[in-house]
Amino acid sequence: MRPRGGSPKPRAACPEPCQSSMSSGAIVQNSPELTAFTHAIIFVFPVLAMLPPVPSIAAAAPATSDAAAAAAAAPTDAAPTDAVPWPRPAIAALTASQIREVANAAIGRDDVLPFWFGEPDVVTPAFIRAAAKAALDAGDTFYHHNLGIAPLRDALATYLSRSHLPVASERVVVTSSGVNALMLAAQAILSPGDRVVAVVPLWPNITQIPRILGAEVTRVPLTLAADGRWTLDTAQLLAAIGTDARAVIVNSPNNPTGWTMSGEAMAALLAHCRRHGIWVVSDEAYERLVFDGSLQAPSMLDLAGPDDRLIVANTFSKAWQMTGWRLGWLVLPPALVPELAKLIEFNTSCAPGFIQQAAVTALRDGEPVVRAFVTELGRRRDALLAGLQRIDRISVGRPDGAMYAFFSIDGEPDSLALAKALVRDAGIGLAPGIAFGDEGEGFLRWCFARPVAVLEEALGRLEAHLARR
């Protein structure tokens, strides 16, 4: 606003460094000392220009591990790093998606059967699409509240409270996708140097988010038991968390293994974290995709109170077949909700209103669709597992949830090379296990959200390919 008492005096143009100083709150005024300093600079700069170049202090300093990783990733013929527009070392050290690396190898080919991404094979149900169209036709193209529209927050609270302890709508925050929910959760509770514990192998986005924020990740591996199921040593997890971890991240049902954490293990984890003031981040994106006849997998929301240090992330992508819509949600302690409003404002401002309106309809009318989808997924899972178990050299764990089979092939230790060979020579697109961390090396992930006939065609191609190797 213009100050009272007349127009302000015009300000002289200022180069960017000066503008940056003013924006930080520093105000420089004319003074005799400043005038003398300016004259000195005018005299000294030409003299400095005639001196021989001085070696870069930055180049002479010993590199940190992150800086070394960034330097190794830089082109060898690049200019000195202090002259290159290079990202901060933590970003340069990130590994690009190796799942997409395999998918990119199939660009331009229409003979490849794709199973690399985790998404349903069908278009979002018509009634959900119709709700979005109706909202657009009604003019819902404007900004909305940071935390989500009230009808969707209410609908989510009702939906969650039907199968868990009561959840108030004030604790529900709408996000622009499930992975956006996970990033916001991490931004809210993590600082550089914090230690985060994760159960692995794990979808790489979940373990990379803490690293982006400068946190460290301690990994606790699942093991494949003699009965063919993935298992977690709960005592090992609690020992890894100890008393100094800032947070623990659990994805259950798990991507890529299908492992599902039991209610007893969840209770032990929650009790330990309560005792030591440690955050639990529970990624429950596949909560509805379980094959034991239950309506959903065990959830931290079955156990925790409103004020526990618990953040639950979820998404509309899987159960409601809405991967491309990019809509998710968080359930938070009430004290954290206002902070999330700030973070959402500074990240995405809000989720699109017409997509939120479609989600209200999905929650209200979509339960039959979800149940039918899970039933069909179970049939496809069983067909894929039976086919894999018939092929020599293959060992596969039985997934209790999610939409993936995670299997190994004897004599094939390099999962990325194998996945690329399968694209090139067999026309099968699978995700390499190394994409989910070192614990996944030697495995492949197969998304079974495809018709049984397509799965059987791919199984035949795989068996023939292995017979030739």
Side-chain angles (χ1 to χ4, degrees):
M1 293 179 62
R2 179 174 297 173
R4 295 180 182 178
S7 302
K9 294 181 180 180
R11 178 181 294 173
C14 184
E16 283 187 7
C18 177
Q19 291 169 354
S20 298
S21 297
M22 290 180 180
S23 66
S24 66
I27 301 175
V28 180
Q29 298 179 349
N30 290 332
S31 68
E33 293 81 3
L34 178 61
T35 302
F37 176 75
T38 304
H39 291 166
I41 291 296
I42 293 171
F43 172 77
V44 170
F45 273 4
V47 175
L48 290 176
M50 294 185 289
L51 295 176
V54 177
S56 168
I57 294 175
T64 64
S65 57
D66 281 345
T76 56
D77 59 348
T81 54
D82 57 358
V84 175
W86 203 246
R88 59 189 177 91
I91 304 305
L94 295 175
T95 301
S97 170
Q98 291 164 307
I99 302 173
R100 290 195 179 273
E101 183 177 343
V102 174
N104 290 343
I107 291 176
R109 292 182 54 178
D110 57 8
D111 62 329
V112 176
L113 300 176
F115 307 97
W116 36 51
F117 297 139
E119 63 180 345
D121 64 317
V122 294
V123 174
T124 302
F127 69 94
I128 299 175
R129 288 181 279 130
K133 293 175 186 177
L136 281 170
D137 289 342
D140 192 352
T141 60
F142 299 96
Y143 291 132
H144 285 280
H145 196 286
N146 297 132
L147 298 175
I149 62 173
L152 180 54
R153 296 177 73 193
D154 290 342
L156 281 166
T158 299
Y159 166 77
L160 294 167
S161 298
R162 280 201 299 264
S163 51
H164 306 300
L165 296 176
V167 175
S169 60
E170 291 78 14
R171 294 177 57 204
V172 178
V173 172
V174 178
T175 64
S176 299
S177 78
V179 68
N180 175 240
L182 291 165
M183 174 60 86
L184 290 166
Q187 289 175 345
I189 64 173
L190 296 182
S191 298
D194 281 345
R195 192 170 68 87
V196 178
V197 178
V199 178
V200 293
L202 189 58
W203 186 45
N205 298 41
I206 299 177
T207 52
Q208 297 300 331
I209 285 172
R211 294 184 62 203
I212 290 171
L213 299 174
E216 303 171 359
V217 179
T218 299
R219 305 171 70 91
V220 178
L222 298 168
T223 57
L224 190 56
D227 64 358
R229 281 185 162 81
W230 292 91
T231 61
L232 171 70
D233 185 332
T234 305
Q236 182 185 7
L237 174 62
L238 300 185
I241 296 169
T243 61
D244 66 330
R246 174 63 174 170
V248 56
I249 302 175
V250 176
N251 166 230
S252 173
N254 171 262
N255 173 10
T257 66
W259 164 78
T260 302
M261 194 174 200
S262 68
E264 293 78 11
M266 286 186 173
L269 174 61
L270 183 60
H272 179 90
C273 292
R274 277 174 174 165
R275 190 157 50 246
H276 300 292
I278 296 167
W279 283 92
V280 177
V281 179
S282 184
D283 176 19
E284 302 186 1
Y286 299 94
E287 178 193 22
R288 297 300 305 273
L289 308 188
V290 290
F291 310 113
D292 62 355
S294 303
L295 287 180
Q296 67 276 317
S299 167
M300 283 289 179
L301 293 175
D302 301 330
L303 305 168
D307 295 318
D308 276 312
R309 286 183 173 87
L310 170 68
I311 301 176
V312 175
N314 214 319
T315 177
F316 284 90
S317 290
K318 313 300 182 181
W320 291 272
Q321 303 159 31
M322 295 173 67
T323 52
W325 296 68
R326 315 314 297 138
L327 194 68
W329 74 85
L330 290 166
V331 180
L332 305 155
L336 205 57
V337 172
E339 311 310 315
L340 262 292
K342 292 186 286 188
L343 286 171
I344 292 172
E345 173 61 30
F346 301 144
N347 276 272
T348 57
S349 295
C350 62
F354 63 94
I355 292 179
Q356 295 190 63
Q357 295 283 8
V360 172
T361 299
L363 290 169
R364 186 189 66 215
D365 302 332
E367 190 61 24
V369 170
V370 173
R371 297 191 186 193
F373 177 53
V374 172
T375 298
E376 177 61 16
L377 267 185
R379 192 171 76 89
R380 296 173 179 185
R381 178 199 68 159
D382 293 345
L384 178 60
L385 291 179
L388 289 172
Q389 289 165 350
R390 287 196 300 266
I391 300 175
D392 289 341
R393 298 167 53 198
I394 287 182
S395 300
V396 58
R398 185 173 183 82
D400 295 319
M403 55 174 67
Y404 312 106
F406 203 54
F407 66 99
S408 62
I409 301 174
D410 185 45
E412 300 287 353
D414 187 334
S415 61
L416 182 59
L418 177 58
K420 289 182 176 180
L422 288 171
V423 169
R424 182 183 64 246
D425 301 330
I428 310 170
L430 303 176
I434 189 62
F436 306 92
D438 291 344
E439 304 81 8
E441 183 58 299
F443 287 82
L444 296 169
R445 189 195 72 174
W446 188 321
C447 177
F448 51 76
R450 297 292 183 273
V452 170
V454 177
L455 296 173
E456 290 176 344
E457 166 66 20
L459 284 164
R461 295 186 187 186
L462 176 61
E463 186 170 20
H465 175 81
L466 293 179
R468 297 191 298 267
R469 285 177 74 89

